Amino acid sequence: MRPARRETQASQTDETIPGALNAARYRSLLDSLQEAVWLVDAHGLTVLEANEAAQQLLGLSSDQLVGRRIESLCVTPEDLLFWSEVAGGACEGVHTETLMRHADGHTLWVDRRARRLPADDAHPLGSALWVVSMRDLSAQRRGEEEREALLVDLRSTLESTADGILVTDLAGRLRNFNQRFATLWGIPEDLLQQRDDAAVQAWMRRSVPDGVAYAARLAALLDAPLLQSSDVIQLLDGRVLERVSLPQWSRQRPVGRVFSFRDLSDQLAASQRIEELSHTDMLTGLPNRRALSQRVEYARAIAKREASGFAMLFVDLDRFKQINDTLGHAFGDRVLREVAQRLRDCLREVDTVAKLSGDEFALLIHEADARGAEHTARRVLEAMGRPFSFDTLSFTVTASIGIALFPVDGESLDELASSAERAMQGVKDSGRAGFRFHQPRKDVDLLARMRLDHAMRQALLEERFRLHYQPQLDLASGQVIGAEALIRWQDPLRGEVSPGEFIPVAEESGFIVAIGDWVLHEAVTQAVSWWQQGRRMPVAVNVSALQFQQAQFVDRVRQVLQSAGLPPELLELELTESILLRDADEALRRLQALAELGVCLSIDDFGTGYSSLAYLKRFPIQRLKIDRSFVQGLPADASDAGIVRAVAQVGRALALQVIAEGVESEAQRAFLQEAGCHEYQGYLFSPALDAAAFEARVWGAERPVIRLIRGGGS
C-alpha cells in the first residue's frame, strides 16, 4: 500500500456543518464524473452524496451510501486513522492506494484521492466537505500480482537450474544471471551487486588461461545475434566449463543472448576414470591387454619407421595356484601386487609391463634385440628370486618366461603373445624358473590343423577309421601271444593319414577321448570274434592321458567288456608314464579298479618319461614295453644296449613281463632275448595288419588254433 500523502491544516475551522448539509448543488457535478466520487461530511464523517460510478464500484445503491458513516466503509486501520484525523481537522488531503469492501464481501484495490473542498463566498461551508474520488485498481493489481508471481517463478527456476545462466543484451551488458553462474566463475558478491558490466567481464577474462582469445570469441558471438554455439572453456583452477549460447527473442526479434554454463569437470574426470579402468588391471594398476595392444601398435610403427625391433616377454608365475589354495586369494592378491611392482622395477620408463590374466604378465621391451630381451629376462628372474615376506611368512615365487621378437615371431599382439607363451610353456615343461626364446615351427600350419581336426571328426562319423593289429611274439618260442590294436585312417582327399599326424591334433583338441572310446570298442569286438572262433588272442589298446582321466573311464571299460562278453584277461590297456605320475594317488585308485576287473595293465614307451621304481612297485602293472627308440641302435649302440638291459633287470626285479617294439632285424631280436626280454613285436615278423590279413599271417589256412596265454614271469 502506498504511504498516504497528507497535508496538515495550518489553522483548523471552527464551523460546524450539519448532517443534512444541502449538497444537492454538487449532485449534477458528481454524476458527470467517470470516477467513483463521494461527498463526505468532515464533521459527521457521513456520506452526503455518491455518484453512479461509486454505487457500481461498491455494489451499493445511493440510499445505501448516502447517510452512511464512513467508518463502515473502511477496511484498513490506516483509513480509520485518516478519517479520525479529518474529523479533528488535522488533515488537508490524501492520495493513496487502499482497500475497499464490495457489497458481496470481496475487497477491491482502489486509487483514492481525498481533498477538502475550499470555502469561497459562494460556498462558505465548503471547508467542511471532503471529496473522495476512487479508481478501481483490482484488475491492474491482479495483473501486477500475476507478473510478480511469474517473475518469482522465473527467478526460482533460474536459481534451481544446475547450469549457470547469464543473460546479456545485444551489446553484451548484463541483464540477468543466477547464483550458479556466480559460483561457477567465482565472482565476488560485492562485484555483482555493483552491476558493473566491465568489471564482471574483466573478472571472467582473468579466470581463463587466454583472456584475449576468450574476449575475441565472446565478441564474435555478440556480432552474430542469431548464432547458436557450444564450446568448452578451461579455467585457471583446472575446472572445465561447457558454454552454450543461444539468442534471446522477444516479439519475434533478437533482443539479447542467453549463456548457460555447465561444469564438466566431474563428468570428464569420470569419463577419464572409466577410460583408465578399461585399460587398467584393477588389482595391480598395471595396463591390461587392451592397453598393451595399443602400445604394441605404437611400438610396431616406431620399429617399422626406424627399421628396428622390440621384444615381448611372457611371464607366468610357477605354481601360483598353491598360494591361493593354501593361503587364500587375499594373500595371493598381495603377492600379485608385489610381483607387479618388481616387474616395474626391472624395466625402463619407455617399456611396459601389463597383466594379462590371473598370474600372467607381459613385458613390452622397446628397441630390444635378443641380447636386450635376454638381459631383461635375467633381471626379472633375479628380482623374482628374492624372497617374499608378508607378516611372519617368507617364501619364494619363481617365474617361467617366454620371449618373442618382432617381427620374426609375430607382428600383432596376439601373434607375439602366442609365440612368447609357447616358449614359456617350454620352460614349464623343462622344469620352470627360467626363460626361453620362441623357436619358430615352420611346419606348423594352424589353419591346416583346424582342417585336419574337422576332417578327423567327420571320419569318425563316416566310419573311415579302421584298426590294424600287429602280432606280439614270445622271444623264447617264437609263437604269437597277442596283438596290439593300432588305428588307421584312409581319407578320400588326403589318402592314408599317419597316426603320428592326426593323434597329436586329437590330443590337443580333446577329440582323442572319442577316438580312444571307438578303438576300445572295436578292439574288444574283434577279440570277442576271435575268441568265439576258439582263437584266444589278447588284444592291447593304447589309452591316452586325457581318456584315462575321464571320470567314467573305468565304468566305460567295464561296460564294453560286459556288453561284448569278452573275458577281461584278453584285454590289455597300455598306459604312458605321464598318466601315472600326473596324480599318483588318483592313478593308483583307477589302476586298482581296472585290475579288479581282471584286465592286463602295461606301461608303454617305458624309459622315455620320468620312470620311478617306487611308482612301479605300487601300481598293479604286469608289463613294461621298451620304446622303439632304444631298439633301433641295437646291438651296436652301447647306450641303447645299456638301457635295454636295465629295463629287463627292472622287469625281473618286479616280476613284470618285458616286451620290445620296433624289432626289425634278427640281430635285434637275438640281443633282446639274450638281455632277458620276454616278448617283441615289429617288422621282423609282421607290420600291423587288418583283421583278415592278421588271421592269415598268424594262423593261415592249415595252421592249428593257437591257445597260448601270456605268462606272468620270467
Side-chain angles (χ1 to χ4, degrees):
M1 180 184 297
R2 292 181 186 169
R5 296 192 299 273
R6 301 179 180 178
E7 301 173 0
T8 305
Q9 182 180 358
S11 60
Q12 191 174 6
T13 180
D14 293 330
E15 295 179 306
T16 301
I17 301 176
L21 176 68
N22 184 8
R25 69 187 72 181
Y26 297 105
R27 185 172 300 139
S28 60
L29 176 61
L30 296 180
D31 288 338
S32 66
L33 298 176
Q34 293 183 352
E35 291 185 340
V37 180
W38 298 337
L39 196 61
V40 180
D41 174 12
H43 294 293
L45 295 182
T46 59
V47 177
L48 301 178
E49 286 292 341
N51 65 358
E52 183 67 24
Q55 299 172 33
Q56 294 179 0
L57 176 66
L58 298 179
L60 298 171
S61 65
S62 177
D63 294 339
Q64 292 173 312
L65 282 172
V66 174
R68 188 167 181 170
R69 288 189 61 81
I70 195 69
E71 293 96 329
S72 67
L73 298 173
C74 293
V75 175
T76 66
E78 289 82 358
D79 279 357
L80 293 173
L81 177 62
F82 168 72
W83 288 111
S84 66
E85 291 177 352
V86 168
C91 290
E92 186 66 24
V94 66
H95 181 197
T96 185
E97 293 180 1
T98 187
L99 290 171
M100 302 295 293
R101 182 174 287 109
H102 192 272
D104 63 7
H106 77 273
T107 56
L108 306 170
W109 275 104
V110 297
D111 179 82
R112 181 194 58 192
R113 292 175 181 269
R115 290 190 61 81
R116 186 174 56 184
L117 287 176
D120 55 27
D121 295 338
H123 305 92
L125 300 179
S127 61
L129 297 178
W130 281 74
V131 177
V132 180
S133 63
M134 294 163 288
R135 182 165 56 88
D136 190 358
L137 297 180
S138 299
Q140 176 182 334
R141 273 291 184 138
R142 284 194 300 271
E144 290 176 353
E145 289 175 355
E146 290 175 357
R147 286 193 296 273
E148 184 176 351
L150 179 60
L151 288 175
V152 170
D153 288 344
L154 290 175
R155 170 54 60 180
S156 176
T157 301
L158 198 63
E159 293 297 340
S160 298
T161 181
D163 295 344
I165 304 298
L166 171 65
V167 183
T168 69
D169 60 17
L170 293 178
R173 292 184 291 267
L174 275 65
R175 292 176 53 194
N176 211 338
F177 57 86
N178 64 358
Q179 186 59 41
R180 180 61 176 164
F181 161 74
T183 302
L184 287 176
W185 284 90
I187 303 175
E189 184 67 26
D190 56 349
L191 183 60
L192 291 171
Q193 292 176 353
Q194 296 173 12
R195 309 295 294 189
D196 188 339
D197 296 348
V200 173
Q201 295 289 5
W203 178 280
M204 296 173 71
R205 288 194 300 272
R206 291 194 301 270
S207 300
V208 298
D210 191 346
V212 176
Y214 172 83
R217 175 59 176 164
L218 182 60
L221 293 175
L222 296 175
D223 289 342
L226 303 183
L227 179 65
Q228 301 182 15
S229 71
S230 176
D231 49 11
V232 175
I233 300 174
Q234 178 81 42
L235 300 184
L236 287 174
D237 60 9
R239 289 180 297 121
V240 178
L241 303 182
E242 178 189 32
R243 177 177 64 184
V244 177
S245 176
L246 298 172
Q248 184 186 36
W249 294 84
S250 179
R251 299 177 183 178
Q252 299 182 348
R253 65 184 181 89
V255 297
R257 184 164 287 278
V258 179
F259 297 92
S260 64
F261 300 89
R262 176 171 297 181
D263 192 346
L264 300 180
S265 303
D266 292 342
Q267 179 181 339
L268 292 176
S271 298
Q272 183 177 358
R273 179 59 177 161
I274 292 173
E275 183 68 14
E276 289 175 355
L277 291 177
S278 69
H279 289 77
T280 305
D281 174 66
M282 293 289 292
L283 176 63
T284 62
L286 294 177
N288 59 14
R289 190 181 189 91
R290 182 179 178 185
L292 180 63
S293 178
Q294 295 178 355
R295 300 188 186 188
V296 167
E297 290 301 313
Y298 175 76
R300 285 182 58 197
I302 296 298
K304 289 185 176 181
R305 185 183 66 191
E306 300 181 359
S308 60
F310 61 88
M312 172 78 69
L313 275 64
F314 193 97
V315 180
D316 185 89
L317 303 185
D318 297 328
R319 299 186 178 91
F320 181 74
K321 185 176 182 296
Q322 294 181 1
I323 295 178
N324 282 333
D325 293 344
T326 304
L327 303 176
H329 288 276
F331 199 93
D333 290 345
R334 294 176 63 185
V335 173
L336 290 175
R337 285 191 288 267
E338 175 66 21
V339 169
Q341 185 57 52
R342 293 191 184 190
L343 293 178
R344 286 193 191 99
D345 295 340
C346 293
L347 303 183
R348 304 165 299 177
E349 291 186 4
V350 297
D351 300 328
T352 298
V353 54
K355 187 169 181 288
L356 300 184
S357 62
D359 61 342
E360 296 176 341
F361 300 83
L363 279 59
L364 174 62
I365 315 300
H366 286 273
E367 298 182 356
D369 54 11
R371 179 177 298 179
E374 179 178 347
H375 177 71
T376 302
R378 293 189 183 279
R379 291 187 61 185
V380 170
L381 292 176
E382 180 183 355
M384 295 299 297
R386 299 194 301 270
F388 288 73
S389 297
F390 294 108
D391 303 328
T392 59
L393 182 63
S394 295
F395 55 92
T396 300
V397 178
T398 61
S400 299
I401 305 173
I403 305 174
L405 301 176
F406 173 88
V408 177
D409 300 322
E411 295 200 358
S412 66
L413 171 61
D414 290 342
E415 293 174 350
L416 289 169
S418 179
S419 297
E421 185 176 7
R422 285 195 295 270
M424 179 276 299
Q425 195 59 53
V427 178
K428 293 275 190 184
D429 295 340
S430 61
R432 301 180 176 87
F435 69 89
R436 177 178 294 185
F437 284 88
H438 175 253
Q439 299 295 327
R441 294 178 57 189
K442 298 180 180 179
D443 59 325
V444 176
D445 185 339
L446 297 181
L447 181 59
R449 293 172 72 93
M450 291 175 59
R451 290 172 176 167
L452 181 61
D453 179 74
H454 176 71
M456 182 172 52
R457 295 173 187 271
Q458 292 299 116
L460 185 60
L461 292 175
E462 297 170 2
E463 299 181 353
R464 297 188 181 277
F465 288 117
R466 64 192 189 281
L467 288 185
H468 281 191
Y469 301 88
Q470 186 170 44
Q472 297 176 330
L473 294 88
D474 181 77
L475 273 168
S477 65
Q479 293 188 343
V480 176
I481 58 172
E484 180 181 7
L486 299 171
I487 191 170
R488 296 293 183 262
W489 175 20
Q490 179 73 29
D491 186 76
L493 298 178
R494 292 177 171 82
E496 189 70 28
V497 184
S498 167
E501 181 180 353
F502 69 84
I503 290 298
V505 176
E507 290 177 339
E508 182 179 337
S509 67
F511 191 60
I512 192 66
V513 175
I515 291 179
D517 189 67
W518 179 86
V519 170
L520 176 64
H521 178 271
E522 291 297 311
V524 169
T525 301
Q526 182 60 61
V528 167
S529 175
W530 287 332
W531 181 64
Q532 291 175 346
Q533 297 173 31
R535 295 166 173 171
R536 189 178 180 87
M537 180 61 63
V539 175
V541 174
N542 290 281
V543 177
S544 71
L546 190 59
Q547 183 183 10
F548 182 78
Q549 292 164 9
Q550 299 301 302
Q552 305 301 322
F553 176 69
V554 176
D555 292 336
R556 177 57 178 161
V557 173
R558 180 186 295 109
Q559 177 188 357
V560 171
L561 289 173
Q562 292 177 351
S563 177
L566 180 70
E569 64 271 15
L570 295 183
L571 175 64
E572 178 180 346
L573 301 180
E574 294 189 359
L575 313 170
T576 62
E577 291 175 90
S578 61
I579 293 177
L580 308 180
L581 300 180
R582 182 164 300 179
D583 187 343
D585 292 336
E586 176 63 18
L588 177 60
R589 186 185 65 80
R590 295 193 181 188
L591 289 175
Q592 288 174 340
L594 291 170
E596 291 174 1
L597 289 180
V599 301
C600 178
L601 301 173
S602 67
I603 296 181
D604 190 17
D605 302 333
F606 184 76
T608 59
Y610 299 96
S611 304
S612 171
L613 297 180
Y615 285 136
L616 289 179
K617 185 177 179 181
R618 292 177 59 195
F619 294 147
I621 301 297
Q622 294 140 312
R623 205 177 191 202
L624 299 180
K625 176 177 281 190
I626 300 175
D627 186 68
R628 67 180 63 248
S629 62
F630 302 129
V631 175
Q632 290 175 352
L634 297 179
D637 191 298
S639 176
D640 289 345
I643 292 174
V644 169
R645 292 184 187 277
V647 173
Q649 291 175 0
V650 168
R652 285 195 297 272
L654 298 176
L656 302 176
Q657 293 290 105
V658 179
I659 181 173
E661 65 178 358
V663 179
E664 300 180 357
S665 68
E666 179 59 31
Q668 293 172 342
R669 189 202 66 78
F671 179 87
L672 291 169
Q673 185 174 8
E674 182 272 332
C677 292
H678 306 99
E679 302 157 359
Y680 79 95
Q681 65 185 78
Y683 274 57
L684 176 62
F685 180 78
S686 172
L689 305 169
D690 60 36
F694 179 90
E695 295 172 2
R697 179 70 180 89
V698 174
W699 293 296
E702 73 286 357
R703 289 176 180 264
V705 175
I706 298 177
R707 300 182 181 276
L708 296 179
I709 300 177
R710 180 175 295 124
S714 56

